Amino acid sequence: MAIDNITSKIIYDAEREAVLISQEAAARREEILALARKEAEEKREAMRADGEAERAAMVERNVSVAKIDAGKLILEEKQILIERCLAEAVKKIADLDEDVYLKFLADTAKTLAPEGGELILSERDREKYGEKLEKLLEESGGGKYALSKETRKIKAGVIVKRGSVYVNGSVEARIDAMRSELVPEVAARLFK
């Protein structure tokens, strides 16, 4: 029986040892799980913070792009309005009172070619003002001017031809030549 007592004691001690080991393993497992949960929560929090930072950066980029796009649209609209104003100025000059417009054409021709030349007008101006312009320039003295049979697709003004040289005094050409000066002034008046 002594062997049975020894065997029972060994089995008892082994079972007790197994229970202690199992309890220690369970406690260790809980420690490991708690540590893993804590690490997972920290990683989740870091990922959430990174996600928030990325989202904020993305929103900021999108807002910046939207502002740039809006600025482009506003600039395009301003350019369209400026072009409309310049076109309206050409139209107003073309629609001036007959005497005022004739004087404008004569002064332009004299400025472009004081010695004279062939006067090229738009088809409308040639029919409406051609002979009157030629007569006005003849009466005012100075260079010798003659009305050309040639017409050009200009809205207002005159082109003077001397030999093979054309001097463009159309209102459109004059506005184009002065565009760099006119656009800022028109913009300043339009967009106060």
Side-chain angles (χ1 to χ4, degrees), residues 100-112:
V100 174
Y101 188 62
L102 272 170
K103 182 169 178 358
F104 167 75
L105 291 174
D107 290 345
T108 301
K110 286 180 188 177
T111 301
L112 296 175

Side-chain angles (χ1 to χ4, degrees), residues 17 32 38 45 87 140 152 173 186 188:
E17 185 70 24
I32 291 171
K38 183 179 177 189
E45 191 58 34
S140 68
R152 292 286 172 92
V186 170

Side-chain angles (χ1 to χ4, degrees), residues 93 96 98-117 119-121 125 129-143 145 156-160 169 174:
I93 291 170
L96 285 172
E98 183 174 313
D99 292 335
V100 174
Y101 188 62
L102 272 170
K103 182 169 178 358
F104 167 75
L105 291 174
D107 290 345
T108 301
K110 286 180 188 177
T111 301
L112 296 175
E115 62 283 345
L119 303 171
I120 303 171
L121 301 169
D125 285 355
Y129 304 113
E131 291 176 12
K132 293 175 186 176
L133 176 61
E134 195 174 29
K135 186 177 177 184
L136 180 63
L137 284 166
E138 186 180 308
E139 290 172 357
S140 68
Y145 298 93
V158 61
I159 297 171
V160 181
R174 293 173 86 177

Side-chain angles (χ1 to χ4, degrees), residues 54-67:
E54 181 61 31
R55 186 191 65 76
M58 188 182 300
V59 166
E60 190 174 324
R61 281 191 302 271
N62 289 340
V63 167
S64 294
V65 168
K67 283 180 181 178

